[in-house]
Amino acid sequence: MCNTEFAARRETLLSAMLANSLCIIPAASLVTRSRDTEYLFRQDSYFHYLSGFPEPDAWLVLSNHERYAGSLSVLFCLEKDPLSEIWQGRRCGPQQAQKDFALGQAFGLMELEHKLVDLMDGHQHVYFAQGHNEKAEQLLFTCLQVLRDAPKQSKQAPTSLMDVRVILDEMRLFKSDAEIVLMRHAAAISVEAHKQAMTYAQGGKNEYHLEAQIHHQFAMLGAKNPAYGTIVGSGDNACILHYTENNQSLIEGDLVLIDAGCEYLGYAADITRTFPVSGRFSPQQAQLYQLVLDAQLAAFTYIKPGSNIKLATDQAVKVITQGLLDLGILSGQLGDNIANQSFREFFMHGLGHWLGLDVHDVGNYKIDGLDRAFEPGMVLTIEPGIYIAPDAKVEPQWQGIGIRIEDNLLITEKGYENLTQGAPKSILEIEAFMAQQGQH
Ligand code: GLY
Ligand code: MN
Ligand code: MN
């Protein structure tokens, strides 16, 4: 992603804010894992979206005040410090950051508080993400108080606080051409990782061996990290929606559900495939699998501009409910089962979600209480599933089967582009692919 794209986003934000506004966007900080070790650093998505600056503890301050001709971008970041850099890693430092990231001004963090008071002075509105970052909130209120306590020096404290996410979430919902390139790439890498897992699966291997294969493939193809905790659930572990223990042996005859996607230059892919450890579906597994796939394909017909997630969900629910009735897992009439939501015992999550810098990306799903219409440039997942708990009151042949199929769809002018099309999905495709790989 180049600096002009980040700069253009800042300009879009500045012109969407009310006149005479300042905006404060904090970077993420390192989070302690235990004692003196930290979790892998991940930049805050809003901060990344507007700056591309990769270091922790930085701040971006934007203003559209006329004294800055309507556009000022200021970065505060860690100062260069040879000793800290030996221990904790390289720092860009403000001087270099200003050049490398094409920002109006850049200062060391030491100057943050007093410079922020000066920057804020004379603005009417402050935009930031309330409740998103405690440290940022404290700093903001401290600076506001300093301004309010200094009437004799003719300071003017802003009088209104606005939520910057109202603007930023809407911007992030619509992916630019450059973002779509990155999302296609994240999807393509993740497709290869799922194929690798299908190739490697065998009875006796552990779920975490498949997890390792997936992460290895991500890295070999240029994506260092997963976008979220990889789920490898074999047998009835597949019925636990956010299963991440990934520590059970694979058993021939079971299915394994893998929900995994890489993060590529900040952007997430989010793919689920469910396949037989042995490479061949049993008749019961095949019947349920086909049902989930039919539901997904039925939902796909509603993925186009003007349609919405409710229409797609209703279609998937209809297919799943009718299928469960046909298999004797539900009983009664279709309409009654849909009305009383009996399908929810077996399909208990939503059909999908926005996808982007965050795996569950930002953006409203409703506008004025109504389901928002799809528009070109939105990216979402479509991920129906059927999960029959081991103790569900159904015939034993169905118990302990969990299936989800998840793809990533870009809404286009004509309909959609399935970014994750390449991961084998039909029963025939999966069985043929696994047979071809030789271990099955
Ligand atoms: N991987 C999380 C989800 O599918 O929503
Ligand atoms: Mn998902
Ligand atoms: Mn997923």
Side-chain angles (χ1 to χ4, degrees):
M1 192 75 63
C2 60
N3 280 335
T4 46
E5 172 115 3
F6 294 117
R9 292 173 185 169
R10 293 195 294 272
E11 290 306 319
T12 305
L13 171 59
L14 285 169
S15 39
M17 297 190 316
L18 294 169
N20 202 0
S21 292
L22 181 95
C23 166
I24 301 175
I25 309 278
S29 296
L30 284 160
V31 179
T32 301
R33 180 174 184 273
S34 73
R35 274 177 64 81
D36 58 353
T37 63
E38 283 114 11
Y39 289 105
L40 185 69
F41 178 70
R42 164 61 157 74
Q43 187 56 282
D44 177 84
S45 295
Y46 292 115
F47 185 87
H48 172 75
Y49 184 74
L50 292 169
S51 72
F53 188 68
E55 294 181 19
D57 297 327
W59 300 72
L60 187 64
V61 180
L62 308 175
S63 165
N64 65 8
H65 199 288
E66 57 194 19
R67 71 177 181 242
Y68 307 122
S71 171
L72 177 71
S73 299
V74 186
L75 179 78
F76 293 89
C77 64
L78 289 162
E79 290 85 356
K80 295 288 292 173
D81 176 1
L83 187 60
S84 300
E85 290 183 59
I86 286 172
W87 285 90
Q88 282 136 22
R90 294 184 183 92
R91 294 176 179 180
C92 188
Q95 277 186 336
Q96 197 62 37
Q98 186 189 349
K99 289 192 203 116
D100 291 356
F101 296 87
L103 294 151
Q105 300 176 9
F107 301 102
L109 269 190
M110 310 271 255
E111 300 190 71
L112 176 62
E113 196 171 316
H114 84 264
K115 284 249 188 265
L116 191 53
V117 169
D118 288 345
L119 280 165
M120 217 183 258
D121 180 23
H123 286 83
Q124 206 170 339
H125 317 280
V126 173
Y127 282 75
F128 88 125
Q130 287 96 323
H132 179 61
N133 180 321
E134 211 176 314
K135 214 168 64 178
E137 213 143 299
Q138 270 173 12
L139 177 73
L140 171 66
F141 289 127
T142 303
C143 293
L144 282 174
Q145 202 53 40
V146 171
L147 285 173
R148 287 187 192 125
D149 286 346
K152 294 206 183 89
Q153 296 154 42
S154 62
K155 302 271 187 209
Q156 188 200 325
T159 49
S160 78
L161 294 181
M162 312 287 287
D163 198 324
V164 70
R165 288 168 294 196
V166 174
I167 303 170
L168 282 180
D169 290 1
E170 200 63 16
M171 288 170 63
R172 283 177 54 186
L173 179 55
F174 294 90
K175 275 61 182 179
S176 68
D177 290 348
E179 288 180 296
I180 290 167
V181 168
L182 298 184
M183 293 195 73
R184 281 202 189 103
H185 201 63
I189 292 172
S190 305
V191 162
E192 292 309 312
H194 277 264
K195 284 160 75 174
Q196 177 66 16
M198 285 182 194
T199 302
Y200 193 77
Q202 246 186 357
K205 300 254 168 69
N206 198 289
E207 292 167 347
Y208 57 65
H209 292 138
L210 296 192
E211 181 182 10
Q213 285 291 332
I214 287 166
H215 292 184
H216 178 259
Q217 197 67 7
F218 286 169
M220 296 312 284
L221 296 175
K224 189 168 165 283
N225 300 307
Y228 55 90
T230 294
I231 297 170
V232 182
S234 62
D236 61 24
N237 294 333
C239 299
I240 303 168
L241 298 180
H242 290 160
Y243 176 77
T244 48
E245 283 101 329
N246 300 354
N247 61 4
Q248 298 300 305
S249 287
L250 305 183
I251 296 172
E252 295 275 332
D254 277 351
L255 294 177
V256 55
L257 179 157
I258 299 186
D259 185 341
C262 73
E263 182 171 284
Y264 182 71
L265 298 184
Y267 288 83
D270 182 11
I271 306 179
T272 307
R273 288 293 183 267
T274 309
F275 56 90
V277 172
S278 67
R280 306 280 302 177
F281 286 86
S282 74
Q284 288 76 18
Q285 290 165 349
Q287 280 176 298
L288 279 179
Y289 187 91
Q290 191 59 45
L291 183 47
V292 178
L293 182 53
D294 289 345
Q296 198 206 33
L297 297 177
F300 280 5
T301 64
Y302 285 82
I303 308 301
K304 56 189 171 191
S307 183
N308 63 53
I309 193 70
K310 167 90 167 48
L311 293 172
T313 301
D314 287 349
Q315 200 59 23
V317 161
K318 206 154 99 187
V319 172
I320 285 178
T321 308
Q322 184 60 58
L324 292 174
L325 287 167
D326 294 344
L327 296 175
I329 294 170
L330 289 175
S331 58
Q333 298 299 313
L334 176 65
D336 296 341
N337 275 279
I338 290 176
N340 66 25
Q341 305 224 323
S342 60
F343 63 86
R344 286 217 156 270
E345 181 184 352
F346 307 110
F347 173 31
M348 61 292 277
H349 56 73
L351 183 67
H353 51 84
W354 307 130
L355 183 70
L357 285 171
D358 287 296
V359 65
H360 295 162
D361 209 27
V362 295
N364 286 334
Y365 291 87
K366 290 192 184 254
I367 294 181
D368 296 333
L370 299 174
D371 293 285
R372 87 180 287 161
F374 292 143
E375 294 177 63
M378 295 170 162
V379 180
L380 78 165
T381 69
I382 294 292
E383 48 179 307
I386 294 179
Y387 315 88
I388 307 196
D391 58 355
K393 295 192 175 33
V394 300
E395 284 180 53
Q397 59 179 342
W398 306 116
Q399 289 171 337
I401 299 180
I403 296 164
R404 177 165 64 255
I405 307 174
E406 175 174 27
D407 283 296
N408 303 165
L409 274 54
L410 163 69
I411 313 274
T412 61
E413 298 288 342
K414 294 215 174 96
Y416 65 86
E417 173 186 335
N418 184 350
L419 307 180
T420 50
Q421 178 78 28
K425 187 162 73 167
S426 72
I427 291 175
L428 275 178
E429 273 172 344
I430 290 174
E431 291 191 343
F433 178 80
M434 291 181 76
Q436 192 191 15
Q437 297 312 306
Q439 297 200 57
H440 305 99

Coordinates of all heavy atoms in Angstrom, one line a residue, residues 164-226:
V164 N -15.2 9.1 15.8 CA -14.6 9.1 14.4 C -15.0 7.8 13.7 O -14.9 7.7 12.4 CB -13.1 9.2 14.6 CG1 -12.4 8.0 15.2 CG2 -12.4 9.5 13.2
R165 N -15.4 6.8 14.4 CA -15.7 5.5 13.8 C -16.9 5.6 12.8 O -17.1 4.8 11.9 CB -16.0 4.4 14.8 CG -14.7 4.0 15.5 CD -14.9 3.1 16.7 NE -15.6 3.9 17.8 CZ -15.7 3.5 19.0 NH1 -15.1 2.4 19.4 NH2 -16.3 4.2 19.9
V166 N -17.8 6.6 13.1 CA -19.0 6.7 12.2 C -18.5 7.0 10.8 O -19.0 6.5 9.8 CB -19.9 7.9 12.7 CG1 -21.0 8.2 11.8 CG2 -20.4 7.6 14.1
I167 N -17.4 7.8 10.7 CA -16.9 8.1 9.3 C -16.0 6.9 8.9 O -16.1 6.4 7.8 CB -16.1 9.4 9.4 CG1 -17.0 10.5 9.8 CG2 -15.5 9.7 8.0 CD1 -16.2 11.8 10.1
L168 N -15.0 6.5 9.8 CA -14.0 5.5 9.4 C -14.6 4.2 9.0 O -14.1 3.5 8.1 CB -13.0 5.4 10.5 CG -11.9 6.5 10.6 CD1 -10.9 6.2 11.7 CD2 -11.2 6.7 9.2
D169 N -15.6 3.7 9.8 CA -16.2 2.4 9.5 C -16.8 2.4 8.2 O -16.7 1.4 7.4 CB -17.2 2.0 10.6 CG -16.5 1.8 12.0 OD1 -15.3 1.9 12.1 OD2 -17.2 1.4 12.9
E170 N -17.4 3.5 7.8 CA -18.1 3.5 6.5 C -17.0 3.5 5.4 O -17.2 2.9 4.4 CB -19.0 4.8 6.5 CG -20.0 4.8 5.4 CD -21.1 3.7 5.6 OE1 -21.2 3.1 6.7 OE2 -21.8 3.4 4.7
M171 N -15.9 4.2 5.6 CA -14.8 4.2 4.6 C -14.3 2.8 4.5 O -14.1 2.3 3.4 CB -13.7 5.2 5.1 CG -14.1 6.7 4.9 SD -12.9 7.8 5.7 CE -11.4 7.4 4.7
R172 N -14.0 2.2 5.6 CA -13.4 0.9 5.6 C -14.3 -0.2 5.0 O -13.8 -1.2 4.5 CB -12.9 0.5 7.0 CG -11.6 1.2 7.5 CD -11.3 0.8 8.9 NE -11.2 -0.6 9.1 CZ -11.0 -1.2 10.3 NH1 -10.9 -0.5 11.4 NH2 -11.0 -2.5 10.4
L173 N -15.6 0.0 5.0 CA -16.5 -1.0 4.5 C -16.3 -1.1 3.0 O -16.5 -2.2 2.4 CB -17.9 -0.6 4.9 CG -19.1 -1.5 4.4 CD1 -18.9 -2.9 4.8 CD2 -20.4 -0.9 4.9
F174 N -16.0 0.0 2.3 CA -15.8 -0.1 0.9 C -14.4 -0.2 0.5 O -13.6 0.7 0.8 CB -16.5 1.2 0.2 CG -18.0 1.2 0.4 CD1 -18.5 1.8 1.6 CD2 -18.8 0.6 -0.5 CE1 -19.9 1.8 1.8 CE2 -20.2 0.5 -0.3 CZ -20.7 1.1 0.9
K175 N -14.0 -1.3 -0.1 CA -12.6 -1.6 -0.3 C -12.1 -0.9 -1.6 O -12.8 -1.0 -2.7 CB -12.3 -3.1 -0.4 CG -12.1 -3.7 1.0 CD -13.2 -3.7 1.9 CE -12.9 -4.3 3.3 NZ -14.0 -4.2 4.2
S176 N -11.0 -0.2 -1.6 CA -10.4 0.4 -2.8 C -9.8 -0.7 -3.7 O -9.6 -1.8 -3.2 CB -9.3 1.4 -2.3 OG -8.2 0.7 -1.8
D177 N -9.4 -0.3 -4.9 CA -8.7 -1.3 -5.8 C -7.5 -1.8 -5.1 O -7.2 -3.0 -5.2 CB -8.4 -0.6 -7.1 CG -9.6 -0.3 -7.9 OD1 -10.7 -0.8 -7.6 OD2 -9.5 0.5 -8.9
A178 N -6.7 -1.0 -4.4 CA -5.5 -1.5 -3.8 C -5.8 -2.5 -2.7 O -5.1 -3.5 -2.5 CB -4.7 -0.3 -3.3
E179 N -6.8 -2.2 -1.9 CA -7.2 -3.1 -0.9 C -7.7 -4.5 -1.4 O -7.4 -5.5 -0.9 CB -8.3 -2.5 0.0 CG -7.9 -1.4 0.9 CD -9.0 -0.8 1.7 OE1 -9.9 -0.2 1.1 OE2 -8.9 -0.9 2.9
I180 N -8.4 -4.4 -2.5 CA -8.9 -5.6 -3.2 C -7.8 -6.5 -3.7 O -7.8 -7.7 -3.5 CB -9.9 -5.3 -4.3 CG1 -11.2 -4.7 -3.7 CG2 -10.3 -6.5 -5.1 CD1 -12.2 -4.1 -4.6
V181 N -6.7 -5.9 -4.2 CA -5.5 -6.6 -4.6 C -5.0 -7.4 -3.4 O -4.7 -8.6 -3.5 CB -4.5 -5.7 -5.2 CG1 -3.1 -6.4 -5.3 CG2 -5.0 -5.1 -6.5
L182 N -4.9 -6.7 -2.2 CA -4.3 -7.4 -1.0 C -5.3 -8.5 -0.5 O -4.8 -9.5 -0.1 CB -4.1 -6.3 0.1 CG -3.1 -5.2 -0.2 CD1 -2.9 -4.3 1.0 CD2 -1.8 -5.8 -0.7
M183 N -6.6 -8.2 -0.6 CA -7.5 -9.2 -0.1 C -7.5 -10.5 -1.0 O -7.7 -11.6 -0.6 CB -8.9 -8.6 0.1 CG -8.9 -7.6 1.2 SD -10.5 -7.1 1.8 CE -11.0 -8.6 2.7
R184 N -7.4 -10.2 -2.3 CA -7.3 -11.4 -3.3 C -6.1 -12.2 -2.9 O -6.1 -13.4 -2.9 CB -7.2 -10.9 -4.7 CG -8.4 -10.5 -5.3 CD -8.3 -10.5 -6.9 NE -9.5 -9.9 -7.5 CZ -9.5 -8.7 -8.0 NH1 -8.4 -7.9 -8.0 NH2 -10.6 -8.2 -8.5
H185 N -5.0 -11.5 -2.6 CA -3.8 -12.2 -2.3 C -3.9 -13.0 -1.0 O -3.4 -14.2 -0.9 CB -2.6 -11.2 -2.2 CG -1.3 -11.9 -2.5 ND1 -0.9 -12.5 -3.6 CD2 -0.2 -12.1 -1.6 CE1 0.3 -13.1 -3.5 NE2 0.7 -12.8 -2.3
A186 N -4.4 -12.4 0.1 CA -4.7 -13.1 1.3 C -5.5 -14.3 1.1 O -5.3 -15.4 1.7 CB -5.3 -12.1 2.4
A187 N -6.5 -14.2 0.3 CA -7.4 -15.3 0.0 C -6.7 -16.4 -0.7 O -6.8 -17.6 -0.4 CB -8.6 -14.8 -0.8
A188 N -5.8 -16.0 -1.7 CA -5.1 -17.0 -2.5 C -4.1 -17.8 -1.7 O -4.0 -19.0 -1.8 CB -4.4 -16.3 -3.7
I189 N -3.4 -17.1 -0.8 CA -2.5 -17.8 0.1 C -3.3 -18.8 1.0 O -2.9 -19.9 1.2 CB -1.7 -16.8 1.0 CG1 -0.8 -16.0 0.1 CG2 -1.0 -17.5 2.1 CD1 -0.1 -14.8 0.8
S190 N -4.4 -18.3 1.5 CA -5.2 -19.1 2.5 C -5.8 -20.4 1.8 O -5.9 -21.4 2.4 CB -6.3 -18.3 3.1 OG -5.7 -17.1 3.7
V191 N -6.1 -20.2 0.5 CA -6.6 -21.3 -0.3 C -5.5 -22.4 -0.3 O -5.8 -23.6 -0.1 CB -7.0 -20.9 -1.7 CG1 -7.1 -22.0 -2.7 CG2 -8.3 -20.1 -1.7
E192 N -4.3 -22.0 -0.6 CA -3.2 -23.0 -0.7 C -3.0 -23.7 0.6 O -2.7 -24.8 0.7 CB -1.9 -22.3 -1.2 CG -2.0 -21.8 -2.6 CD -2.4 -22.9 -3.6 OE1 -1.9 -24.0 -3.5 OE2 -3.3 -22.6 -4.4
A193 N -3.1 -22.9 1.7 CA -2.9 -23.5 3.0 C -4.0 -24.6 3.3 O -3.7 -25.6 3.9 CB -3.0 -22.4 4.1
H194 N -5.3 -24.3 2.9 CA -6.3 -25.3 3.1 C -6.0 -26.5 2.2 O -6.2 -27.7 2.7 CB -7.7 -24.7 2.8 CG -8.3 -23.9 3.9 ND1 -9.2 -24.5 4.8 CD2 -8.0 -22.7 4.3 CE1 -9.5 -23.6 5.7 NE2 -8.8 -22.5 5.5
K195 N -5.5 -26.3 1.0 CA -5.2 -27.5 0.2 C -4.1 -28.3 0.9 O -4.1 -29.6 0.8 CB -4.8 -27.0 -1.2 CG -6.0 -26.6 -2.0 CD -5.7 -25.7 -3.2 CE -5.0 -26.4 -4.4 NZ -4.9 -25.4 -5.5
Q196 N -3.1 -27.6 1.4 CA -2.0 -28.3 2.1 C -2.5 -29.1 3.3 O -2.1 -30.3 3.5 CB -1.0 -27.2 2.6 CG 0.2 -27.8 3.4 CD 1.1 -28.6 2.6 OE1 1.0 -28.6 1.3 NE2 1.9 -29.5 3.2
A197 N -3.5 -28.6 4.0 CA -4.1 -29.4 5.2 C -4.8 -30.6 4.6 O -4.7 -31.7 5.2 CB -5.0 -28.5 6.0
M198 N -5.5 -30.5 3.5 CA -6.2 -31.6 3.0 C -5.2 -32.7 2.5 O -5.4 -33.9 2.7 CB -7.1 -31.2 1.8 CG -8.3 -30.5 2.1 SD -9.3 -30.1 0.6 CE -10.5 -28.9 1.4
T199 N -4.1 -32.2 2.0 CA -3.1 -33.1 1.5 C -2.4 -33.9 2.7 O -2.1 -35.1 2.6 CB -2.0 -32.3 0.8 OG1 -2.6 -31.6 -0.2 CG2 -0.9 -33.2 0.3
Y200 N -2.3 -33.2 3.8 CA -1.5 -33.8 4.9 C -2.4 -34.6 5.9 O -1.8 -35.4 6.6 CB -0.9 -32.6 5.7 CG 0.2 -33.0 6.7 CD1 1.4 -33.3 6.2 CD2 -0.1 -33.0 8.0 CE1 2.4 -33.7 7.1 CE2 0.9 -33.4 8.9 CZ 2.1 -33.7 8.5 OH 3.1 -34.1 9.3
A201 N -3.7 -34.4 5.9 CA -4.5 -35.1 6.9 C -4.5 -36.6 6.7 O -4.5 -37.1 5.6 CB -6.0 -34.6 6.7
Q202 N -4.5 -37.2 7.9 CA -4.4 -38.7 8.0 C -4.8 -39.1 9.4 O -4.4 -38.4 10.3 CB -3.0 -39.2 7.7 CG -2.8 -39.9 6.5 CD -1.4 -40.5 6.4 OE1 -0.5 -40.2 7.2 NE2 -1.1 -41.2 5.4
G203 N -5.4 -40.3 9.5 CA -5.6 -40.8 10.9 C -4.3 -40.9 11.6 O -3.3 -41.2 11.0
G204 N -4.4 -40.5 12.9 CA -3.2 -40.6 13.7 C -2.4 -39.3 13.8 O -1.7 -39.1 14.8
K205 N -2.5 -38.5 12.8 CA -1.9 -37.1 12.9 C -2.8 -36.4 13.9 O -3.9 -36.7 14.2 CB -2.0 -36.4 11.6 CG -1.2 -37.1 10.5 CD 0.1 -36.4 10.2 CE 1.0 -37.2 9.3 NZ 0.6 -37.4 7.9
N206 N -2.2 -35.3 14.5 CA -2.9 -34.5 15.5 C -3.5 -33.2 14.8 O -2.9 -32.8 13.8 CB -1.9 -34.1 16.6 CG -2.7 -33.6 17.8 OD1 -3.3 -32.6 17.9 ND2 -2.7 -34.5 18.9
E207 N -4.5 -32.7 15.4 CA -5.1 -31.5 14.9 C -4.0 -30.4 14.8 O -4.0 -29.6 13.8 CB -6.2 -31.0 15.8 CG -7.4 -31.9 15.8 CD -8.4 -31.6 16.9 OE1 -8.1 -30.9 17.8 OE2 -9.6 -32.1 16.8
Y208 N -3.1 -30.3 15.8 CA -2.1 -29.3 15.7 C -1.1 -29.5 14.6 O -0.4 -28.5 14.2 CB -1.4 -29.0 17.1 CG -0.7 -30.1 17.8 CD1 0.4 -30.7 17.2 CD2 -1.2 -30.5 19.0 CE1 1.0 -31.7 17.9 CE2 -0.6 -31.6 19.7 CZ 0.5 -32.2 19.1 OH 1.2 -33.2 19.8
H209 N -1.0 -30.7 14.1 CA -0.1 -30.9 12.9 C -0.7 -30.2 11.7 O 0.0 -29.6 10.9 CB 0.1 -32.4 12.6 CG 0.9 -33.1 13.7 ND1 0.5 -34.4 14.1 CD2 2.0 -32.8 14.3 CE1 1.4 -34.8 15.0 NE2 2.3 -33.8 15.2
L210 N -2.0 -30.3 11.6 CA -2.7 -29.6 10.5 C -2.5 -28.1 10.7 O -2.3 -27.3 9.7 CB -4.1 -30.0 10.4 CG -4.5 -31.4 10.0 CD1 -5.9 -31.6 9.7 CD2 -3.6 -31.9 8.9
E211 N -2.7 -27.6 11.9 CA -2.5 -26.2 12.2 C -1.1 -25.7 11.8 O -1.0 -24.7 11.1 CB -2.7 -25.9 13.7 CG -2.6 -24.5 14.1 CD -2.8 -24.3 15.6 OE1 -2.8 -25.2 16.4 OE2 -2.9 -23.1 16.0
A212 N -0.1 -26.6 12.1 CA 1.3 -26.2 11.8 C 1.5 -26.2 10.3 O 2.2 -25.3 9.7 CB 2.2 -27.2 12.4
Q213 N 0.9 -27.1 9.6 CA 1.0 -27.1 8.1 C 0.4 -25.9 7.5 O 0.9 -25.3 6.5 CB 0.2 -28.4 7.5 CG 0.9 -29.7 7.7 CD 2.2 -29.8 6.9 OE1 2.3 -29.2 5.8 NE2 3.2 -30.5 7.4
I214 N -0.7 -25.5 8.0 CA -1.4 -24.3 7.5 C -0.6 -23.0 7.8 O -0.3 -22.2 6.9 CB -2.8 -24.1 8.2 CG1 -3.7 -25.2 7.6 CG2 -3.4 -22.7 8.0 CD1 -5.0 -25.4 8.4
H215 N -0.1 -22.9 9.0 CA 0.7 -21.7 9.3 C 2.1 -21.7 8.5 O 2.6 -20.7 8.1 CB 1.0 -21.6 10.8 CG -0.2 -21.4 11.6 ND1 -0.2 -21.2 12.9 CD2 -1.5 -21.2 11.2 CE1 -1.5 -20.9 13.4 NE2 -2.3 -21.0 12.3
H216 N 2.6 -22.9 8.3 CA 3.8 -23.0 7.5 C 3.6 -22.5 6.1 O 4.3 -21.7 5.5 CB 4.3 -24.5 7.5 CG 5.5 -24.7 6.6 ND1 5.5 -25.3 5.4 CD2 6.8 -24.5 6.9 CE1 6.7 -25.4 4.9 NE2 7.5 -24.9 5.8
Q217 N 2.4 -23.0 5.5 CA 2.1 -22.6 4.1 C 1.9 -21.1 4.1 O 2.3 -20.4 3.1 CB 0.9 -23.4 3.7 CG 0.6 -23.4 2.2 CD 1.7 -24.2 1.5 OE1 2.6 -24.8 2.0 NE2 1.7 -24.1 0.1
F218 N 1.2 -20.5 5.1 CA 1.0 -19.0 5.1 C 2.4 -18.4 4.9 O 2.5 -17.5 4.1 CB 0.4 -18.6 6.4 CG -1.1 -18.9 6.6 CD1 -1.6 -18.7 7.9 CD2 -1.9 -19.3 5.6 CE1 -3.0 -18.9 8.1 CE2 -3.2 -19.5 5.8 CZ -3.8 -19.3 7.1
A219 N 3.3 -18.8 5.8 CA 4.6 -18.1 5.8 C 5.4 -18.3 4.5 O 6.0 -17.4 4.0 CB 5.4 -18.6 7.0
M220 N 5.3 -19.5 4.0 CA 6.1 -19.8 2.8 C 5.5 -19.0 1.6 O 6.3 -18.7 0.7 CB 6.0 -21.3 2.4 CG 6.7 -22.2 3.5 SD 8.3 -21.7 4.0 CE 9.3 -22.1 2.6
L221 N 4.3 -18.6 1.7 CA 3.7 -17.8 0.6 C 3.7 -16.3 0.9 O 3.1 -15.6 0.2 CB 2.3 -18.4 0.3 CG 2.3 -19.8 -0.2 CD1 0.8 -20.3 -0.4 CD2 3.0 -19.9 -1.5
G222 N 4.3 -15.9 2.0 CA 4.5 -14.5 2.2 C 3.6 -13.9 3.3 O 3.6 -12.6 3.4
A223 N 2.8 -14.7 4.0 CA 2.0 -14.1 5.0 C 2.5 -14.7 6.4 O 2.3 -15.9 6.6 CB 0.5 -14.5 4.8
K224 N 3.1 -13.9 7.2 CA 3.8 -14.4 8.4 C 2.8 -14.9 9.4 O 3.2 -15.8 10.1 CB 4.6 -13.2 8.9 CG 5.6 -13.7 10.1 CD 6.6 -12.6 10.4 CE 7.3 -12.8 11.7 NZ 6.4 -12.5 12.8
N225 N 1.6 -14.3 9.5 CA 0.7 -14.6 10.6 C -0.7 -15.0 10.1 O -1.1 -14.5 9.1 CB 0.6 -13.5 11.6 CG 2.0 -13.1 12.2 OD1 2.7 -14.0 12.7 ND2 2.4 -11.9 12.0
P226 N -1.4 -15.8 10.9 CA -2.8 -16.0 10.7 C -3.6 -14.7 11.1 O -3.1 -13.9 11.9 CB -3.2 -17.1 11.6 CG -2.1 -17.2 12.6 CD -0.9 -16.6 12.1

